[in-house]
Amino acid sequence: MISSLSDDWKTELSEELVKPYFTDLVTKVTLAYNISPNQVFPPKHQLFSAFNSCSFTNVKVVILGQDPYPTKGHAHGYCFSVEQGVLPLPKSLQNIAKELGTDVGVALKEQGDLTAWARQGVLLMNSILTVHEGKPGSHQGFGWERFTNSVIQRLGARKEPLVFLLWGAHAIAKKSLILGEQHLVLKAPHPSPLSAYRGFYGCKHFSQTNDFLQSVGCKPIDW
């Protein structure tokens, strides 16, 4: 399973990958894929897509999701994203598109595929990287949270200023992991239909992110 993780992330996370909890995590996830290969998402070869498209040193922005979409054909290894051609878009992604249009006046490129963001330095990481079909949160407790918490901590320890977009209570709870006053941490309600109207709409996180990146000498994201 780990063989599909890019070498730069393996190097950065080398201490984490040999811890007993991670060995247990690999065992649990491998068993889940073996038992239900067509019902565990994302597909195994896309498990670390978010990392492989955005190296550790290239990360400029972190968007944190909870766990993958539990609908067949939706999850492909990036939080909130779906592959091009998947329609209709999941409701949360529709709301992200609405805020994007209102904030910076652009439409989602490639329909709902956010891979282009990742290639520009946006780490689209879920806290939990796998899920069973139709069962949101089904792989909670496997150990993914500890692994992704360590990723957040390591990014937060970087000297280079980063932007962390924390949407929803689950993501906002991770703020304590981000040390360093050089970073910009933006918080908003989750973009789901249940909460987007409570403050995700109008949060202007996309424009604020680019304003900050430019202020520290980084190229803005072409959303």
Side-chain angles (χ1 to χ4, degrees):
M1 185 178 86
I2 292 304
S3 61
S4 62
L5 181 64
S6 61
D7 289 340
D8 66 303
W9 280 104
K10 284 181 188 174
T11 299
E12 183 60 35
L13 300 170
S14 57
E15 295 179 5
E16 208 68 24
L17 301 180
V18 296
K19 291 181 179 179
Y21 90 87
F22 194 82
T23 301
D24 291 342
L25 167 62
V26 170
T27 298
K28 291 173 184 175
V29 174
T30 300
L31 181 61
Y33 275 119
N34 288 343
I35 292 175
S36 307
N38 298 316
Q39 292 180 296
V40 175
F41 309 140
K44 193 173 183 179
H45 70 281
Q46 294 178 321
L47 177 58
F48 293 112
S49 293
F51 298 87
N52 297 340
S53 296
C54 182
S55 68
F56 179 82
T57 54
N58 286 342
V59 175
K60 296 192 291 188
V61 181
V62 180
I63 298 180
L64 187 64
Q66 190 159 349
D67 62 348
Y69 293 124
T71 303
K72 186 180 291 291
H74 281 192
H76 67 129
Y78 306 88
C79 70
F80 296 111
S81 179
V82 294
E83 291 185 289
Q84 188 176 7
V86 173
L87 294 172
L89 299 180
K91 294 293 179 62
S92 292
L93 187 53
Q94 290 182 34
N95 291 337
I96 290 171
K98 289 177 184 177
E99 175 59 21
L100 183 67
T102 301
D103 185 12
V104 294
V106 300
L108 282 180
K109 300 175 176 64
E110 306 298 337
Q111 295 175 339
D113 187 347
L114 307 182
T115 305
W117 293 5
R119 291 174 179 155
Q120 297 176 73
V122 181
L123 181 65
L124 296 157
M125 184 180 73
N126 281 308
S127 294
I128 303 167
L129 299 189
T130 53
V131 71
H132 193 279
E133 182 177 8
K135 298 178 180 178
S138 51
H139 289 185
Q140 185 175 354
F142 273 27
W144 282 128
E145 298 96 329
R146 183 170 173 181
F147 172 73
T148 53
N149 282 353
S150 73
V151 173
I152 296 169
Q153 288 175 317
R154 289 173 187 275
L155 288 168
R158 277 181 46 179
K159 293 180 180 179
E160 301 87 353
L162 304 177
V163 182
F164 291 84
L165 304 184
L166 307 181
W167 298 339
H170 180 84
I172 291 170
K174 307 288 185 178
K175 186 179 184 300
S176 62
L177 300 171
I178 305 166
L179 303 178
E181 295 183 359
Q182 70 274 30
H183 306 306
L184 176 65
V185 180
L186 299 175
K187 300 178 289 183
H190 195 276
S192 77
L194 296 176
S195 56
Y197 67 93
R198 296 176 185 165
F200 179 78
Y201 293 144
C203 69
K204 298 188 180 299
H205 281 187
F206 301 105
S207 59
Q208 288 187 66
T209 293
N210 278 351
D211 288 346
F212 178 79
L213 290 175
Q214 290 179 297
S215 75
V216 296
C218 291
K219 185 177 180 180
I221 305 299
D222 179 10
W223 301 110

